[in-house]
Amino acid sequence: VQLQASGGGLVQVGGSLTLSCRASGPTFSNYNMGWFRQAPGKEREFVARISRSSGSTSYSDSVKGRFTISRDNAKNTVYLQMNSMKSEDTAVYYCAATQVYSGVSLRYDYWGQGTLVTVSS
């Protein structure tokens, strides 16, 4: 599976942005998907995950209630809708695929290249 993330950019505090991650190959629906982020000088952290059929989702406490993960298996795409953004959301965001429904980055087998999100005040 190859993953291509897009949609990053500059947004003001309180604004919204939607990230997309398109997967190549016919087996996208076999994978649970996740979004992670890495801020400058910090370790990569879990943001959100979604199960193969969208039946389950979970979020980190820092984004719960503000971010929404979704997927469209017909389009081989997973999304991350980000609302009420804060300066601390500034990071490179990565999408990833795993056979295991997990929030642990080591469990993910495939990673996109990352897309930069900058939140300015």
Side-chain angles (χ1 to χ4, degrees), residues 59-121:
Y59 302 88
S60 68
D61 288 342
S62 61
V63 308
K64 195 174 298 181
R66 300 188 298 119
F67 289 11
T68 301
I69 188 171
S70 61
R71 66 189 295 165
D72 185 338
N73 286 344
K75 295 183 178 179
N76 279 14
T77 302
V78 61
Y79 305 95
L80 186 68
Q81 172 69 43
M82 304 183 291
N83 299 325
S84 302
M85 297 189 73
K86 305 176 181 180
S87 57
E88 51 262 43
D89 294 323
T90 295
V92 177
Y93 284 71
Y94 299 89
C95 58
T98 178
Q99 296 279 11
V100 179
Y101 185 60
S102 172
V104 178
S105 62
L106 291 176
R107 293 294 191 100
Y108 284 75
D109 304 303
Y110 304 98
W111 291 82
Q113 85 289 1
T115 185
L116 177 62
V117 173
T118 303
V119 184
S120 66
S121 56

Side-chain angles (χ1 to χ4, degrees), residues 21-50:
C21 175
R22 183 172 176 83
S24 63
T27 60
F28 175 72
S29 60
N30 291 342
Y31 290 90
N32 303 288
M33 299 297 296
W35 285 97
F36 293 77
R37 67 186 182 186
Q38 187 166 18
K42 296 187 177 181
E43 293 186 354
R44 189 174 298 185
E45 65 173 356
F46 165 74
V47 174
R49 57 177 168 157
I50 187 167

